Structures are given as structure tokens and as C-alpha cells.
Amino acid sequence: MSSKLRILVPVKRVIDYAIKPRINKAQTGVETKGVKFSINPFCDIALEESIRLKEKTPELVESIHAVSIGPAKAQDVLRTALAKGADTSTLIDVGEEEVEPLQVAKLLHKMVEKQGSNLVVLGKQAIDDDSNQTGQMLAGLLDWPQATNASKVEIKDDEVFVTREIDGGADVLKAQLPMVITVDLRLNEPRYASLQNIMKAKKKPLEKLKLADLGVGSIDNRLEVLKVEEPPTRHAGIKVENVDELIAKLKELKVI
């Protein structure tokens, strides 16, 4: 490969995937007080794939830089990323403010320029808002080729091959650097950070930036959440003994 990979991996701090979210009393979003937070699972997979690329072909990968956009507490997920194998990291501190995908993409665009990155590997979506938009928007802003929902990533010579699952099979995309890749769940199984590596991560660089440091005045969100509510309770189903009974029940419900 003519140029070494300088990989940027965005990681988002979200409510832990094992916790059932609860809607807050104001019905403006999910309750975030007193709950466990961790790395978004899709971001964790993107990080793992980047680390595996470096382990398999160390001569191809120059660096892995993790970046998170969020409150000061997001340093925790960056420390985890460093413990797993990222070389350096940056926190863009926006306080408790929610940041929409377009604004995230614009901030990541600034980070790509700042870091001189030529490959961005990120989760296809975050499990809190499920937008699945940031990667595509970032590729558009950078005018780079993109491959979404990756289930396999291979680098051969100067080309990157990305396999993505589609209805009825698989689709293989080929592109050259620089590019953006968003990853799916079946790409890999993320590793756990060992205690030894967690301790070592405390000495790795963690840069802290404000919006002004990136030449951004403020977050310009364009969406307003009117109301968040629980889905209606589903009624229990019933079992029928045969087709005749099924048809009778459907007629009773006036669906046939």
C-alpha cells in the first residue's frame, strides 16, 4: 500500500446495551441518571476491526486514533478504547448537549483534517438514537468513497474490499483510500480490556478539545423532540389446535 493507514475510530458513550432503557418523567427522552454507560456496541466492533488490521498487518497501519463527542464523562470510553489498542484519543467536550448526526459528521470532518486520517471506521449506528446516518454524512462531507454495514474487511495491495450482507446473499465493494467504512454486528467479536492494559492506557494521550478549538461556534441542531413514550403493551397470543379453529378465530376478529 502506497500510504500507511491512519485510522480514525469514533466511539460514542451510550447507556449499556444490557440495561432496559426507561423514559424520563418529562417524556423528552430516556432516563440517564443512575444508569451504567459504556461504548456503543457498533463502535466497539469498529475499534476491534481497526486493532485487528494493525495486528495482522502492522506494516500497513501507522496509527489508530479514537475520538468521542460528548460530556467529560466520555473519557471513560476513550480510556477503554486506549486499553484495547487505540494509540491516541481525543474528547470533544460538548457538555450534556445532544448532538445530531449531521453535527457529529461535521465535527468528525474537522478531526479527519486535524489527524490527517485516510480511513474512518465507525459503527453503522448508535443504540441510543439508531439514526444510522453519521458515516454516510461524513463520507459526503469528505467526498470519499464509503462502504456501509460491513461484515468483512480485507486490504489487498492498494485496494480495500468490503463485504456487506444484503437480502439473499453478500455484496462486495472495492475502493481505494481514503474512505469511510461503517460496520455491522457480524464483523467480529470485540475483546475485553485486560487490567494490565487498562493501567497502561492511563499513560496514553487523551486530548481534550472544546468546540472553539475546532473552529466551531456552537452546535446547530435542527430537530426538536416533541414527546417520547413507551410502545403500547402487546396482548398475549393464543394457541389454536387446527386450521379450522384458526379460521374461526380470524373471522371472529373480522380480519378475513
Side-chain angles (χ1 to χ4, degrees), residues 240-251 256:
V240 295
E241 298 297 329
N242 51 54
V243 175
D244 291 338
E245 189 178 346
L246 172 62
I247 293 173
K249 287 290 184 184
L250 292 176
K251 287 182 177 179
I256 61 172

Side-chain angles (χ1 to χ4, degrees), residues 144-157:
W144 288 5
Q146 62 176 303
T148 59
N149 302 357
S151 60
K152 185 178 181 180
V153 178
E154 297 176 286
I155 298 176
K156 299 176 183 178
D157 298 322

Side-chain angles (χ1 to χ4, degrees), residues 37 68 81 134-135 162 236 252:
F37 282 78
S68 190
T134 301
V162 177
E252 183 181 321

Side-chain angles (χ1 to χ4, degrees), residues 202-221:
K202 293 181 179 180
K203 297 181 180 180
K204 288 187 176 181
L206 197 163
E207 178 185 39
K208 299 172 188 176
L209 299 177
K210 296 289 188 179
L211 293 177
D213 297 322
L214 294 172
V216 178
S218 61
I219 297 295
D220 182 23
N221 286 333

Side-chain angles (χ1 to χ4, degrees), residues 156-217:
K156 299 176 183 178
D157 298 322
D158 282 340
E159 295 175 323
V160 182
F161 295 82
V162 177
T163 303
R164 45 201 306 279
E165 295 181 356
I166 58 173
D167 292 340
D171 189 19
V172 180
L173 303 180
K174 179 179 72 173
Q176 292 184 324
L177 296 176
M179 72 177 299
V180 175
I181 299 174
T182 74
V183 306
D184 212 342
L185 284 174
R186 274 187 274 272
L187 180 58
N188 61 51
E189 183 73 29
R191 69 193 67 192
Y192 288 97
S194 67
L195 179 59
Q196 182 181 9
N197 287 336
I198 290 173
M199 298 305 293
K200 287 181 179 179
K202 293 181 179 180
K203 297 181 180 180
K204 288 187 176 181
L206 197 163
E207 178 185 39
K208 299 172 188 176
L209 299 177
K210 296 289 188 179
L211 293 177
D213 297 322
L214 294 172
V216 178

